[in-house]
Amino acid sequence: MQPYIELALELKMIHALFITPEDMVFDIRTLLKCRWGCENHDNNSFKCQERRTSFEERVQMIKSYKNILFIHSNDGGDVSRAALEIERRAFLDGNHLAFAIRYCNLCKKCAVDENLPCVQPTKVRPCEAIFGIDVYETAKHHGLPCYPLQHKADVQNRYGFVCIS
Ligand code: SF4
């Protein structure tokens, strides 16, 4: 699994470490933050669709993986691009169920946010929140920074997960 850590660092991630579902914090209250207070709160956004999966099924999906790469950067777009590229490489390496979990920030300007069709729909991956992943607590659990920003200019800490096998 070490090559995927090196790949993540090459793809501009600040941190990349392998974790298991036991190292992740799951909390159904992430759905509260997802459905109230998020700009995509109506849950009809292409980026946020649950695609006929139940909450229990989604948690079970994550818990079926044993090797999950947890990646960190200060740029949300970089995290989305890195997660997708690591997923692609892992798939080509024979991990046929490799899958990235990461709110989509692939484009500088998101067409979906402007009520237009997504420009690369097969590359969109689901957001952590609909899987019940508490990213703040999971990051803290690994000694990584994640806290509410106080000012617009504050440095962001953005995270993604690539379920490898
Ligand atoms: S338009 Fe771009 S940023 Fe928006 S959902 Fe599609 S791929 Fe993601």
Side-chain angles (χ1 to χ4, degrees), residues 46-47 104-107 109-113 117-121 124:
F46 186 75
K47 295 191 279 191
C104 191
N105 293 116
L106 286 174
C107 307
K109 200 167 186 185
C110 175
V112 172
D113 288 348
C118 175
V119 296
Q120 36 190 356
V124 173

Side-chain angles (χ1 to χ4, degrees), residues 65-116:
Y65 287 91
K66 299 284 174 278
N67 296 292
I68 299 173
L69 189 63
F70 187 32
I71 55 177
H72 169 221
S73 162
N74 297 135
D75 184 285
D78 285 347
V79 175
S80 289
R81 286 183 282 276
L84 212 58
E85 176 60 14
I86 295 163
E87 178 202 281
R88 189 183 76 83
R89 299 273 191 103
F91 174 78
L92 292 175
D93 289 343
N95 300 289
H96 65 288
L97 295 179
F99 193 76
I101 307 285
R102 164 72 200 159
Y103 179 79
C104 191
N105 293 116
L106 286 174
C107 307
K108 277 203 170 130
K109 200 167 186 185
C110 175
V112 172
D113 288 348
E114 301 192 346
N115 294 321
L116 296 168

